[in-house]
Amino acid sequence: AQQDSRMAPVHALMRRQGVASLLVVPLIVRGEAIGTIGMDSLTRRRFSEDEISLAASVAGAAAQALENARANEALRHEKALVDALLDNIPESIYFKDLAGRHTRVNPVLLRDMGMAPDQVIGKTDIEVYGAEYGTQTLADDLRVIATGKPLLGQLESRRTRDGNVVWTLSNKVPLRDATGQIVGMAGITSDVTGLKQAEEALRESRERLKLAIDGAALGLWDVDLATGETLVDKFGLGYLGFMPGESAAAVSYTHLRAHETVLDLVCRLLL
């Protein structure tokens, strides 16, 4: 080491402080030296085996402490990311243990339920939502845990305390530890009530339109000019000369073009 130029600053410091002997032990973490720890003496001497062993033990403990500090910092960083996700994503997110009890939920779930954390944490869906809704969702939770298979795109409905019906779309996955053992499940649930209401309104609108058209005995047809596919209702079939009950599949664009009525004018306008 006396000939190693990298030790020149160390030797200069030793001379200034009157150090005659120095023992340096590396701090090893995962096979990589991340620093050193040392013992010095003001007299020139050889360090004993006990002193070397003590220095090695201290170095090992220090290296482990530094590694733990790094790991804890990484965990704090990851926790901050998860917290940011849970606090800001607009869907309900929840984690549950092997018995289906909530271990963590995000603010959106608490807000939608109008509950405090202590009213949800440690409880199953039956305890939180009631048996009518919770029995099936708890069964789904336990099935995900038992089989290890995700449950995706599960459409569910429940009645709120004020009597309104809420529609949700849930995705649930098993949670595993570092050894691959299932330790619980996690889920994310989206409120799709607005979409279901719009879908229902569209269905009702179509039904009302159909009733109005049937009542007026109007013939309707729809032609896909790209494929030639033709859709004709029962009154339209009658106007085209088809017998009652005859399949609309028998109607082709040729039939429509050959029918010399107002229908023919419409077909010409479509071209």
Side-chain angles (χ1 to χ4, degrees):
Q2 294 288 340
Q3 303 302 319
D4 192 334
S5 60
R6 293 175 299 178
M7 295 296 293
V10 177
H11 294 155
L13 179 62
M14 290 172 61
R15 286 192 296 269
R16 287 197 301 270
Q17 296 183 349
V19 175
S21 301
L22 177 67
L23 171 65
V24 178
V25 180
L27 302 178
I28 305 296
V29 174
R30 298 181 182 178
E32 178 185 356
I34 62 171
T36 61
I37 191 169
M39 298 174 63
D40 59 51
S41 173
L42 299 179
T43 61
R44 189 174 184 84
R45 68 184 183 85
R46 180 181 297 275
F47 289 94
S48 68
E49 292 296 327
D50 289 342
E51 290 172 324
I52 295 174
S53 178
L54 175 61
S57 298
V58 172
Q64 187 60 54
L66 289 172
E67 175 65 6
N68 291 342
R70 287 183 175 181
N72 289 335
E73 180 59 30
L75 286 175
R76 282 192 294 270
H77 178 66
E78 290 184 5
K79 183 179 183 301
L81 294 178
V82 173
D83 288 345
L85 177 66
L86 293 180
D87 291 344
N88 292 284
I89 197 168
E91 278 78 26
S92 296
I93 303 176
Y94 42 89
F95 300 86
K96 301 179 182 180
D97 62 17
L98 292 173
R101 296 182 293 255
H102 292 84
T103 57
R104 184 175 183 182
V105 299
N106 72 331
V108 171
L109 186 148
L110 296 175
R111 182 201 65 200
D112 290 348
M113 292 302 301
M115 293 183 172
D118 60 359
Q119 294 177 289
V120 178
I121 301 302
K123 298 179 180 180
T124 67
D125 278 1
I126 293 179
E127 297 170 288
V128 173
Y129 299 103
E132 181 180 357
Y133 174 76
T135 299
Q136 182 58 54
T137 57
L138 176 59
D140 291 339
D141 295 343
L142 298 179
R143 182 166 69 253
V144 170
I145 293 169
T147 64
K149 296 180 179 179
L151 180 64
L152 305 177
Q154 181 79 356
L155 185 63
E156 303 163 342
S157 67
R158 62 178 175 83
R159 193 170 296 278
T160 63
R161 295 176 180 178
D162 55 10
N164 294 323
V165 175
V166 174
W167 287 89
T168 57
L169 193 66
S170 295
N171 296 287
K172 302 179 178 182
V173 297
L175 288 178
R176 301 178 184 272
D177 62 15
T179 67
Q181 294 296 311
I182 294 177
V183 295
M185 57 81 60
I188 180 169
T189 296
S190 304
D191 188 333
V192 295
T193 304
L195 292 176
K196 287 292 293 183
Q197 290 173 340
E199 183 182 275
E200 180 63 18
L202 179 60
R203 185 188 65 79
E204 292 177 355
S205 177
R206 287 175 173 173
E207 288 183 354
R208 287 195 297 269
L209 177 61
K210 183 177 184 302
L211 287 174
I213 292 173
D214 288 348
L218 298 175
L220 295 181
W221 59 92
D222 181 36
V223 180
D224 187 329
L225 296 181
T227 65
E229 182 181 4
T230 305
L231 298 177
V232 184
D233 73 350
K234 62 181 179 180
F235 295 108
L237 287 174
Y239 295 150
L240 292 173
F242 287 86
M243 297 298 294
E246 193 166 0
S247 173
V251 182
S252 67
Y253 181 65
T254 302
H255 287 98
L256 297 180
R257 290 291 294 123
H259 198 67
E260 295 297 334
T261 63
V262 175
L263 179 59
D264 185 60
L265 175 59
V266 173
C267 291
R268 287 199 297 273
L269 292 175
L270 290 175
L271 291 178

